[in-house]
Amino acid sequence: MIIADNIYKSYTYGKQKIEVLHGINLKINKGEFVTLTGPSGSGKSTLLNLLAGIDVPDSGSIIIEGKELSKMNSDERTKWRKENIGYIPQFFYLVPFLTVIENVEIMAKLAKINNSKEASLEALEKVGLKDKAKRYPSELSGGEIQRVAIARAIVHNPKIIIADEPTAFLDIKNKQNIVEILLKIWNEGKTVILATHDAFLAKKRIVELVDGKIVGERYA
Ligand code: ADP
Ligand code: MG
């Protein structure tokens, strides 16, 4: 279970302090698929970064499977993240001089898993890109690049997949394809948290964020 308990988060920008999250309370059960929606600037990425242990809240706690992330130091959090989180960012960059499979293997090696090559091929198969393993990024479409991002996020078999607007720059067909892949991964028993502001992509449990507060929830 993931528990965000009364989370506050601000950024300091020059002399200005920007309050972004104001008292977020959220519980996510193991194996849930949660869509986080809300307008741009509402704090979706900020919240996902806290849930992924990339950043820490000003106050409040994030507790994941009994572990309180804000009580870990940054090295401990990094290690925990490598073992437990698959993160799919909004802006994804592949290393241009490495092949598709080598780009996935980077993460496999960082997470120190055995058989990084086999695991990378298996991850590519799950996103339908096994046949393009030896291509270079310049030979891929935008949708395929995002699928490599998913392969890289799942290669180390993390329990929790966090996707921050992974479909933002894709056409409708590719957007739907990415969400279908995430649903397939969810079906294999993962917890998936997806941020999107495309209403038609919101699936399962939908949590709406406005101005750093959760304003509602529904199921679709
Ligand atoms: P969303 O993902 O919903 O678009 P974000 O979490 O990215 O929202 O941003 C929420 C607010 O926090 C915005 O006003 C944004 O400008 C601000 N913000 C985000 N990251 C930073 C940062 N590193 N420094 C300063 N302000 C930030
Ligand atoms: Mg964002």
Side-chain angles (χ1 to χ4, degrees):
M1 177 135 93
I2 299 172
I3 303 169
D5 181 29
N6 206 20
I7 295 297
Y8 284 77
K9 177 71 184 172
S10 61
Y11 295 108
T12 309
Y13 191 70
K15 283 182 183 161
Q16 217 185 342
K17 193 174 172 195
I18 306 160
E19 308 274 356
V20 178
L21 299 179
H22 318 270
I24 297 282
N25 288 294
L26 181 65
K27 279 187 186 164
I28 299 173
N29 284 312
K30 196 173 175 199
E32 264 197 282
F33 188 109
V34 176
T35 309
L36 202 56
T37 62
S40 178
S42 58
K44 301 183 293 298
S45 298
T46 301
L47 179 57
L48 291 184
N49 287 343
L50 298 177
L51 296 175
I54 293 168
D55 202 354
V56 287
D58 298 347
S59 66
S61 49
I62 309 273
I63 301 162
I64 301 185
E65 292 188 357
K67 288 209 169 66
E68 188 170 345
L69 298 193
S70 36
K71 289 204 171 138
M72 298 180 189
N73 66 35
S74 132
D75 285 352
E76 288 167 339
R77 261 203 329 278
T78 301
K79 182 170 182 289
W80 174 86
R81 194 168 59 238
K82 269 192 250 170
E83 288 163 6
N84 293 281
I85 300 288
Y87 189 82
I88 305 161
Q90 178 168 6
F91 303 103
F92 182 68
Y93 300 101
L94 293 168
V95 182
F97 51 84
L98 296 180
T99 62
V100 163
I101 187 163
E102 286 165 346
N103 268 281
V104 176
E105 268 190 273
I106 294 174
M107 183 62 214
K109 284 180 176 155
L110 273 177
K112 297 195 170 67
I113 60 162
N114 299 322
N115 308 323
S116 61
K117 189 159 195 172
E118 289 78 1
S120 302
L121 262 183
E122 200 182 308
L124 284 170
E125 187 162 27
K126 280 189 185 150
V127 301
L129 281 180
K130 198 180 175 190
D131 57 329
K132 295 194 173 163
K134 289 195 173 151
R135 292 227 191 159
Y136 283 90
S138 61
E139 300 167 327
L140 298 183
S141 69
E144 287 169 340
I145 287 173
Q146 266 311 353
R147 278 147 67 193
V148 180
I150 297 176
R152 191 154 89 174
I154 63 173
V155 70
H156 55 307
N157 201 23
K159 298 182 202 83
I160 302 166
I161 313 290
I162 292 180
D164 191 1
E165 306 221 30
T167 59
F169 305 108
L170 302 176
D171 58 58
I172 289 179
K173 198 163 155 266
N174 276 304
K175 280 177 197 271
Q176 279 165 341
N177 180 239
I178 293 291
V179 173
E180 269 158 33
I181 292 170
L182 290 174
L183 285 167
K184 197 172 84 181
I185 292 165
W186 168 71
N187 261 315
E188 291 171 0
K190 307 288 185 192
T191 304
V192 177
I193 309 171
L194 161 72
T196 179
H197 62 233
D198 288 319
F200 70 100
L201 293 178
K203 295 280 184 297
K204 309 291 172 190
R205 179 180 170 198
I206 301 167
V207 174
E208 197 188 348
L209 207 61
V210 174
D211 288 338
K213 286 197 179 118
I214 292 175
V215 297
E217 259 198 56
R218 63 195 167 86
Y219 283 82

